[in-house]
């Protein structure tokens, strides 16, 4: 079992009180209680679809229609889901900590924003945006996307989902994410730690002297790299843990 909340809240709040910054990394697990399928859990997306056909530039080049449809289906799902208490607890913590708080997410849904988070670093892109392959313009795209969709900037019919596929460079890797890994506390929530470079962040944070904490449903690929862990549903653990932390500030 993971660690007791109160003991951990004391350790985290002590670092925050001395000016420490907190960086949070979220994965599909934080959206699971909102009804969003994760990737590698039982019945997850990668059990239903071949990842190399759907989340790779080669798969998109081979069969763009299938990839457009896959992301159109997931984008349409956003209208039917709501943020959960885990998303809301993180938004409240951002309001409390201000610039000392950085949220990096591997998720492409918009639940962090809809829960009130203001600054979200979507390192794997966003479902609700399209990117033009001709001029590079990134634009909000709430509806279906296909090969005939026109870029709002250059009008070319060359839009793709604004998603980082396997083999592509994740976003914010030049400075914002490396800077965030210099924080005094690194908290990972709901990720199986199988996808790089995100899975390597805990090692970088630890090397920088951070207190590292994992919140997960069960131990994951990289769990042994965390100094502390709490196992349970993010929607239940986060509100309790973050309330205990902020009560000590
Ligand atoms: C890169 C967008 C170079 C698509 C995604 C060999 C060949 C080719 C490549 C590689 C290779 N070896 C390594 C690589 C690199 C590759 C990689 O890591 N592959 C892995 C699979 C081996 N990575 C890349 O290609 C990346 N790019 O490396 O470029 C580079 C590197 C560094 C610097 C510059 C350049 C690009 C990776 C991004 C790929 N795109 N998604 C889409 O979303 O459709 S990845 C995909 O996986 C999602 O983004 C997802 O977020 C991410 C990680 O998955 P998780 O979020 O962890 O979700 P998962 O289902 O796995 O786990 C859920 C967890 O939640 C579980 O632990 C579960 O227990 C828990 N949970 C469930 N319910 C709850 C819960 N926890 C709490 N509460 C709950 N209720």
């Amino acid at each position: 079992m993971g660690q007791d909340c109160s003991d951990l809240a004391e350790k985290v709040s002590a670092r925050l009180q001395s000016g420490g910054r907190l960086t949070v990394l979220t994965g599909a697990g934080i959206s699971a209680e909102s009804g969003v399928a994760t990737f590698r859990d039982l019945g997850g997306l990668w059990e239903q679809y071949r990842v190399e056909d759907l989340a790779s530039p080669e798969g998109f080049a081979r069969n763009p229609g299938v990839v457009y449809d896959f992301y159109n289906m997931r984008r349409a799902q956003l209208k039917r889901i709501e943020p959960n208490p885990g998303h809301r607890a993180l938004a409240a913590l951002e309001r409390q900590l201000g610039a000392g708080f950085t949220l990096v997410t591997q998720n492409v849904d918009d639940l962090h924003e809809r829960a009130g988070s203001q600054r979200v670093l979507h390192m794997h892109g966003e479902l609700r945006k399209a990117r033009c392959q001709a001029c590079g313009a990134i634009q909000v795209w709430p509806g279906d996307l296909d090969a005939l969709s026109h870029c709002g900037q250059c009008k070319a019919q060359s839009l793709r989902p604004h998603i980082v596929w396997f083999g592509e460079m994740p976003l914010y890797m030049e400075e914002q994410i490396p800077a965030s890994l210099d924080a005094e506390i690194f908290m990972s929530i709901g990720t199986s730690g199988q996808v790089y470079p995100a899975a390597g962040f805990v090692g970088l944070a630890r090397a920088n002297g951070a207190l590292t904490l994992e919140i997960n449903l069960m131990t994951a690929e990289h769990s042994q790299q965390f100094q502390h862990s709490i196992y349970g549903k993010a929607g239940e653990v986060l509100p309790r843990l973050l309330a205990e932390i902020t009560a000590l500030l």
Side-chain angles (χ1 to χ4, degrees), residues 26-30 32-33 38-41 45-46 54-55 70-71 74 106-108 123-124 127 163-170 173 189-197 214-220 232-235:
T26 60
I30 195 165
E33 291 155 83
T38 63
F39 291 89
R40 297 169 187 86
D41 287 325
L45 279 175
W46 297 153
L54 292 169
F70 177 60
Y71 288 98
R74 288 172 64 194
Q106 299 173 87
N107 299 343
V108 294
M123 66 180 290
H124 291 164
L127 271 177
I163 297 287
V164 176
W165 286 324
F166 285 99
E168 296 185 324
M169 164 84 96
M173 286 300 291
I189 302 165
T191 179
S192 65
Q194 296 183 48
V195 174
Y196 289 85
E214 177 191 31
I215 295 170
N216 216 335
L217 202 56
M218 57 191 75
T219 54
K233 291 184 173 181

Side-chain angles (χ1 to χ4, degrees), residues 7 35 46 55 70 105 112 152-153 179 231 235-237 248:
D7 164 49
W46 297 153
F70 177 60
T105 186
H112 281 304
Q153 193 88 17
Y231 296 119
E236 295 165 9
V237 169
L248 295 169

